[in-house]
Amino acid sequence: MPVLFAFVLILSLGSENCAATYCGETNIALQTDKVYEFSSVGEPSPAPGTTYSCLFEGYAPVGQKISVLCHPGAVMYDRNCSYAKFLYSPSGDTDYADAVTYCGYTQALNFTTLTNRVALKFIHTVPKDVILSGYICYVGTPPPTLIRTTATIRTPTTATSTQTPSVSNCDCGFENPGPRVAGGGIASTAEYPWMVGILKNGKNRLSCGGSLISNQWVLTAAHCMTDETPENVEVVLGTNLVGLNQQSGRRVKVSRVIIHPYYRPRYMKDNDIALLKLADRVTYSNRILPVCLPYNLRHSDYEGTYGTVTGWGSVGELKDLSEVLKDIDLRIMSYEECIVYYRGMGFYKITDNMFCTARPSQGVCKGDSGGPLTVQSKGRHIQLGIVSWGFPPCTDPLNPSVYTKVTNFLRWIENNTHETFCKVN
């Protein structure tokens, strides 16, 4: 498999685009009210082991600051910056003395420079047989809300935006991140706007996680809803803070709970999937959006790649739940690899409706149940899994985490919600 990576800079001039290839371009004179695109495209890169840098350095007229919106361009796990890292200097320093470093496909950034200068750098060590990720960056003198978007990149809006809210399920899977430092593990406010916390019996204490899949339906695990009645359940959306001491986000009552008919809580853990119908439809915004469902990924092989799991679960077996939403990237295991760990476990059998992720020193834990595992495709998060079960302790690498395979239940979701879901991926 060849390694593909290059950069393109596009100058947006109204309805006309002038494209030229740049790598290492400096001292670019940025024109007022024009938007420049700095992005990765599929072009052959140097041989494996080669390290090189691509630059975007320029200046605007005196007195003008420069807006930059960057979003990951591909799926790749590189939390430790082993292969690729993205640097930007808030002051436009071309020596990058004050540079902030990003790596890994979950990071994105949106900032305005402190001066009229901009300095962006991508440092890349080419591994063997890996398609490397890059960053799609939009650079210009207008504010971020005016920066041009593409089919796969959506400009985050502010909380006070006057734009008409979207009602389309095709506006799915887009992060709304604040600046992130690689490996931080704590999600910024509304970074994952489909993330749902499930509360029971009027308490502030979180019970499970879930994901918004339309403006009236939440996807979660069946074991989270066993013996529950709708009047005892509500969800909280639009926040990364949930817990005894937190009151942010929007709370919505649940009017209906649908558990898969073949889920048996005392027999195996198969068909661990449920739907919650919200009593009121929610309005999409930068804080509340659905995740995409994996319609066109049903036959894709994600073994060996990394998925992002989000939740408010505890960070250890005997520790309290987190009040701040956390994320972690975990490697998706093959079916054959997973069943080795659970062979001879009686009722706890790995079925074709499940898949597993390897646990490093940290994994999903108490309180993460029902939450989503997503992968990225063309700038969108696609939900492949629902956190289902695993053996304690949750930090034991010999006990992989197990997920419900969402691709096997798409027809069931459609039949029960009567919704039309977007097949964007």
Side-chain angles (χ1 to χ4, degrees):
M1 182 187 299
V3 178
L4 306 178
F5 202 84
F7 287 93
V8 165
L9 178 67
I10 299 176
L11 173 61
S12 176
L13 297 172
S15 61
E16 299 180 357
N17 289 329
C18 300
T21 301
Y22 288 90
C23 183
E25 187 71 11
T26 60
N27 208 34
I28 303 169
L30 303 181
Q31 300 180 37
T32 302
D33 295 328
K34 305 301 178 185
V35 178
Y36 298 75
E37 183 179 302
F38 186 38
S39 66
S40 59
V41 294
E43 295 292 340
S45 69
T50 303
T51 299
Y52 67 97
S53 298
C54 283
L55 305 175
F56 182 93
E57 298 173 356
Y59 60 94
V62 175
Q64 292 189 3
K65 295 183 179 180
I66 301 167
S67 296
V68 179
L69 169 65
C70 294
H71 199 289
V75 173
M76 180 182 174
Y77 175 77
D78 193 16
R79 187 177 289 279
N80 296 319
C81 302
S82 303
Y83 298 126
K85 55 186 175 182
F86 180 86
L87 290 77
Y88 80 91
S89 165
S91 67
D93 181 8
T94 55
D95 291 328
Y96 296 90
D98 60 348
V100 177
T101 301
Y102 285 76
C103 61
Y105 70 88
T106 61
Q107 273 66 50
L109 66 105
N110 184 1
F111 72 97
T112 300
T113 59
L114 301 177
T115 69
N116 69 324
R117 305 196 66 88
V118 63
L120 310 176
K121 179 190 287 189
F122 198 93
I123 301 176
H124 184 143
T125 300
V126 184
K128 184 179 181 181
D129 297 333
V130 174
I131 300 294
L132 278 172
S133 62
Y135 276 79
I136 299 173
C137 296
Y138 298 100
V139 184
T141 55
T145 52
L146 298 181
I147 288 184
R148 181 175 62 88
T149 62
T150 71
T152 58
I153 300 296
R154 193 179 71 121
T155 305
T157 56
T158 64
T160 57
S161 172
T162 58
Q163 295 179 346
T164 302
S166 171
V167 294
S168 171
N169 287 337
C170 280
D171 202 10
C172 65
F174 290 110
E175 292 180 1
N176 186 27
R180 293 285 306 275
V181 177
I186 297 178
S188 60
T189 302
E191 180 168 358
Y192 302 103
W194 50 86
M195 193 65 203
V196 172
I198 298 175
L199 309 173
K200 299 178 182 178
N201 302 314
K203 298 179 180 179
N204 289 331
R205 184 176 177 82
L206 181 133
S207 171
C208 280
S211 54
L212 189 70
I213 59 173
S214 78
N215 63 4
Q216 199 169 19
W217 290 94
V218 169
L219 190 64
T220 188
H223 76 264
C224 291
M225 293 294 114
T226 304
D227 299 325
E228 292 295 341
T229 57
E231 55 267 24
N232 291 332
V233 183
E234 62 181 336
V235 302
V236 59
L237 310 95
T239 182
N240 66 336
L241 301 174
V242 174
L244 295 173
N245 301 314
Q246 306 295 341
Q247 300 292 332
S248 62
R250 179 185 175 186
R251 289 196 179 197
V252 182
K253 295 287 186 180
V254 169
S255 64
R256 190 180 179 192
V257 175
I258 304 174
I259 295 177
H260 196 279
Y262 294 140
Y263 174 70
R264 297 292 182 269
R266 293 176 179 84
Y267 180 74
M268 300 175 58
K269 297 288 184 180
D270 206 12
N271 304 297
D272 190 10
I273 185 170
L275 289 162
L276 307 181
K277 185 176 183 180
L278 303 182
D280 299 305
R281 292 184 181 273
V282 297
T283 300
Y284 292 157
S285 67
N286 65 311
R287 291 178 178 268
I288 299 176
L289 280 178
V291 70
C292 300
L293 293 178
Y295 280 95
N296 296 323
L297 303 183
R298 277 181 276 191
H299 305 294
S300 298
D301 183 1
Y302 280 88
E303 297 171 4
T305 62
Y306 284 74
T308 300
V309 181
T310 46
W312 289 276
S314 61
V315 293
E317 201 66 39
L318 301 177
K319 296 186 178 181
D320 293 333
L321 300 184
S322 173
E323 292 187 347
V324 181
L325 183 66
K326 293 190 175 183
D327 59 12
I328 187 171
D329 299 321
L330 297 172
R331 180 176 65 85
I332 299 174
M333 304 170 68
S334 68
Y335 177 80
E336 293 75 16
E337 183 182 0
C338 184
I339 60 176
V340 170
Y341 289 91
Y342 289 106
R343 186 171 293 158
M345 292 292 186
F347 291 143
Y348 296 95
K349 179 183 177 182
I350 303 301
T351 73
D352 186 55
N353 291 324
M354 307 173 187
F355 69 89
C356 303
T357 60
R359 290 174 172 173
S361 59
Q362 184 178 345
V364 298
C365 207
K366 178 182 64 177
D368 288 320
S369 289
L373 178 146
T374 64
V375 296
Q376 282 199 36
S377 177
K378 300 178 182 178
R380 300 176 187 257
H381 280 262
I382 316 296
Q383 183 171 354
L384 287 185
I386 302 169
V387 177
S388 181
W389 60 278
F391 283 138
C394 53
T395 54
D396 187 350
L398 297 180
N399 295 326
S401 302
V402 185
Y403 305 78
T404 301
K405 190 184 297 182
V406 176
T407 52
N408 288 8
F409 296 94
L410 294 174
R411 181 68 61 84
W412 179 81
I413 293 172
E414 288 179 342
N415 290 343
N416 283 279
T417 62
H418 305 290
E419 293 270 4
T420 300
F421 296 98
C422 198
K423 301 173 176 62
V424 296
N425 45 310

